[in-house]
Amino acid sequence: LSLRGGGAAGGVAGGAARALIGAWGAALTTQGPAQALPPLTALLHAFSDAPTQAKKMIAEGIQSSAETALRMLCEPTFAAAEAEITDFFLALFTALLPQLGNFAYTAIDVFLEVAQRGGGESGLERLVECVRLGIEAGGGGMLVRSVLTLLQRHVLPRATVDSPDLARAAYRLLASVLIHRWRYFFPAKCTEAESAARTDELRAALAALGRALLQPDIELLKLNIDTLDALNSKCKLYHKVLLTTHYFREKCTLRHVMFRTEFLGEFLSVLLLGLAEGGWRALARDEVTAALHSMALVDFPAFRAAFLPHFLASLPGLAPDHQRHLAHFPPDTDLPTFTQNIQRLMNDVNCYRAYSSLAPTSMSS
């Protein structure tokens, strides 16, 4: 409570509190992280909503403990205490990130290195969340390429159906990179090779979002639809050709990244197939339909005349005459009517496919 005080008395009490926290943290080297860190973690949770001045005092008092814990995280000797160490750092970043200064970026560099070694899923999940908090805090100390490499090579391959918590943490981090560091993919000046590398990184990130829409996880589905919606609202992702400008040999050239030509059709197909499938995906019907509406409005005539006929032709179990009938999609573009029309289309698709599957048996009998 003395940390919340003010004036001269508060200053004296604050100094005592800093000394107490520092002494508490000194037990790290004698008792080890498994015993010494949980009380500090509990303290961080308790003061996560404290005034800024109180947080500054805690940060000053806990600095030495954080540095020691960071060294321990790197040492195999303390691998058995991975849960306590990563839990401490997640609490530290959640409560005190603005007060940590450059130490936060030093710690994130270590997290990126440690996360590549593998370890337990819970520990990896907490490190991923720490990196996400660093991304969202801003500043120039974050190495976006290192974060993307960690995701693509080490985290997303482990983010399977059997690891839903890790998957959600991974895609929250990917969303933060795309939303908060979008300009990284479009540098004002860079070499041709660097521009191509960043274009490929963006393609890989968008492809990962598309794959996530296929996973049987309602929270993950909603998370990634929200990510796409945020990118469209902020950066007009669906609407225009995205350009990066770079300078090479004093000549300005343009590299095109076309979401509309490379990804839009695939995303529309995945979302429509999900609506047709129903089941648990019906719980996200409103979000999916709204996303479909936003994507279709980019070029609604093309959606009706080109995309839908191609999509229907790709579905197994639809006779050609059924495909032609279903391709006559109404021209209404307002969201409520579009929603009704899409639901009717998916219901008709399922009915016709069911009919086609039964027709040979009925005819043979």
Side-chain angles (χ1 to χ4, degrees), residues 18-30:
R18 283 192 291 269
L20 178 60
I21 295 172
W24 202 348
L28 256 177
T29 55
T30 57

Side-chain angles (χ1 to χ4, degrees), residues 24 31-46 62 88:
W24 202 348
Q31 297 183 14
Q35 295 294 324
L37 286 180
L40 292 176
T41 302
L43 176 71
L44 291 167
H45 286 308
I62 214 167
F88 165 76

Side-chain angles (χ1 to χ4, degrees), residues 154-299:
H154 302 282
V155 181
L156 290 176
R158 296 179 61 180
T160 62
V161 177
D162 298 326
S163 306
D165 292 335
L166 178 60
R168 294 165 193 167
Y171 281 101
R172 281 194 293 268
L173 174 55
L174 182 60
S176 293
V177 171
L178 289 170
I179 294 170
H180 296 280
R181 302 303 172 101
W182 182 254
R183 294 182 64 182
Y184 162 82
F185 299 103
F186 307 101
K189 292 183 179 181
C190 67
T191 65
E192 187 173 12
E194 178 64 17
S195 178
R198 296 196 185 193
T199 295
D200 290 341
E201 287 172 330
L202 178 57
R203 282 196 179 98
L206 293 174
L209 286 184
R211 290 193 299 272
L213 298 177
L214 297 170
Q215 292 200 26
D217 184 329
I218 186 67
E219 291 188 27
L220 199 59
L221 176 62
K222 290 182 177 182
L223 167 64
N224 286 287
I225 288 177
D226 287 344
T227 301
L228 290 169
D229 181 65
L231 289 173
N232 188 48
S233 298
K234 180 180 179 180
C235 312
K236 300 297 181 184
L237 178 66
Y238 308 155
H239 290 268
K240 61 185 180 182
V241 176
L242 305 175
L243 302 176
T244 63
T245 305
H246 65 276
Y247 294 84
F248 183 63
R249 295 181 181 177
E250 300 181 349
K251 292 183 179 180
C252 177
T253 60
L254 296 177
R255 178 171 298 277
H256 299 259
V257 182
M258 300 184 183
F259 180 87
R260 287 173 62 174
T261 57
E262 296 184 32
F263 292 100
L264 188 58
E266 294 183 15
F267 278 58
L268 283 168
S269 296
V270 168
L271 293 174
L272 280 172
L273 286 171
L275 284 180
E277 178 183 317
W280 64 269
R281 292 179 183 272
L283 298 173
R285 180 179 299 163
D286 292 343
E287 292 88 343
V288 170
T289 306
L292 284 168
H293 180 255
S294 296
M295 293 180 188
L297 283 186
V298 171
D299 189 345

